[in-house]
Amino acid sequence: VLFGDGGFRGNPLAVHKQLVAETTIDWPRFQRWLALFGETVDEVYAGERATHIKSAADDMAHVIYSRINNVVDPRFDPAKLTPEQKARYSKYRPETPVESGKEN
């Protein structure tokens, strides 16, 4: 996933959801993983690709955390999505009144 070669066929969200029954999956655990992952990337890679890999990992951590804990990713602002992003996002999550600008 991180290298974008299309070879990954797993479901990291499902795997993390299974862990919820066994342990606490809170944000500090994701932060710790991101710190360790970042240190490892810095030891092995350098440059633009390393920065991209760490950014992709950060994005994945936020998405997985938000979905398994059923909370909105605080970085997500529906008003800033491009039309392409809105179309892609709508496939995964139905539009809510807040996102569409509608009131209850």
Side-chain angles (χ1 to χ4, degrees):
V1 170
L2 293 173
F3 289 107
D5 68 3
F8 182 75
R9 298 287 177 247
N11 185 338
L13 182 58
V15 171
H16 284 82
K17 279 185 176 184
Q18 290 174 350
L19 293 174
V20 171
E22 298 176 29
T23 188
T24 303
I25 307 291
D26 55 7
W27 185 243
R29 289 186 190 259
F30 279 90
Q31 288 174 311
R32 177 70 177 141
W33 179 84
L34 286 167
L36 292 170
F37 184 82
E39 290 172 17
T40 302
V41 169
D42 290 341
E43 289 174 10
V44 180
Y45 302 102
E48 184 179 319
R49 199 67 186 147
T51 301
H52 169 75
I53 290 169
K54 290 186 286 186
S55 177
D58 186 65
D59 288 343
M60 284 190 281
H62 278 87
V63 168
I64 292 171
Y65 171 78
S66 295
R67 296 225 178 133
I68 65 174
N69 289 289
N70 206 22
V71 297
V72 175
D73 183 343
R75 304 169 313 147
F76 178 72
D77 182 355
K80 293 181 181 177
L81 293 176
T82 66
E84 178 185 274
Q85 289 169 321
K86 287 178 183 178
R88 187 170 56 242
Y89 184 70
S90 70
K91 294 178 185 176
Y92 300 105
R93 183 171 177 210
E95 193 172 276
T96 64
V98 172
E99 291 166 356
S100 66
K102 300 173 193 168
E103 304 230 357
N104 292 337

